[in-house]
Amino acid sequence: METPSDWEDRLARWRNELELFEQLDETPWVTLAKAETETGVSRSALRSWYRNGEIQSRLVDGPNGPQRLVQLDAVIERAAASPRIQRRAEREVSLEAQVTLLRHRVDQLELRLAALERKSPA
């Protein structure tokens, strides 16, 4: 039966191994979860890309069994070449811009309202 200390040791060894991979290759190898978080690319797309040979991957022993790693730079490069992902990113930027404009407009309206309230007799 594994004790919490055994688990921590196993997890620490795994993290050290990941760091060693990064140092050897000079390019970060990350888990699919981290690649998804960093790039916004879904895990299913990542799996498709490495299965089709569009990005490299490697399987290493992780704390919970085999863990798939991909090169973060390769994922970023492949995502940049994907029209679908680019459209989604543009929509997100567009939505952010719209929210920023709406916030600015609300701020302006609040200032006008405050000015009108100061002018009107109570």
Side-chain angles (χ1 to χ4, degrees), residues 35-96:
E36 180 179 29
T37 301
E38 294 288 322
T39 63
V41 175
S42 70
R43 287 188 206 192
S44 61
L46 293 169
R47 287 185 188 101
S48 173
W49 292 353
Y50 72 71
R51 287 177 182 149
N52 292 331
E54 296 175 48
I55 59 172
Q56 290 184 340
S57 74
R58 59 173 54 148
L59 205 54
V60 297
D61 285 332
N64 297 319
Q67 183 77 45
R68 179 71 61 178
L69 303 179
V70 294
Q71 289 180 313
L72 186 58
D73 293 345
V75 173
I76 292 168
E77 187 177 310
R78 174 61 182 84
S82 170
R84 182 175 176 200
I85 291 172
Q86 288 303 311
R87 282 193 304 273
R88 188 176 75 210
E90 288 169 5
R91 277 195 310 270
E92 288 174 7
V93 168
S94 176
L95 287 175
E96 280 185 41

Side-chain angles (χ1 to χ4, degrees), residues 1-11 13:
M1 184 169 185
E2 234 179 74
T3 66
S5 141
D6 292 339
W7 172 253
E8 292 299 322
D9 290 343
R10 193 170 165 191
L11 190 59
R13 282 194 313 272

Side-chain angles (χ1 to χ4, degrees), residues 22-46:
E22 286 182 29
Q23 292 169 2
L24 291 174
D25 288 334
E26 295 181 10
T27 182
W29 286 84
V30 297
T31 62
L32 295 182
K34 175 121 175 136
E36 180 179 29
T37 301
E38 294 288 322
T39 63
V41 175
S42 70
R43 287 188 206 192
S44 61
L46 293 169

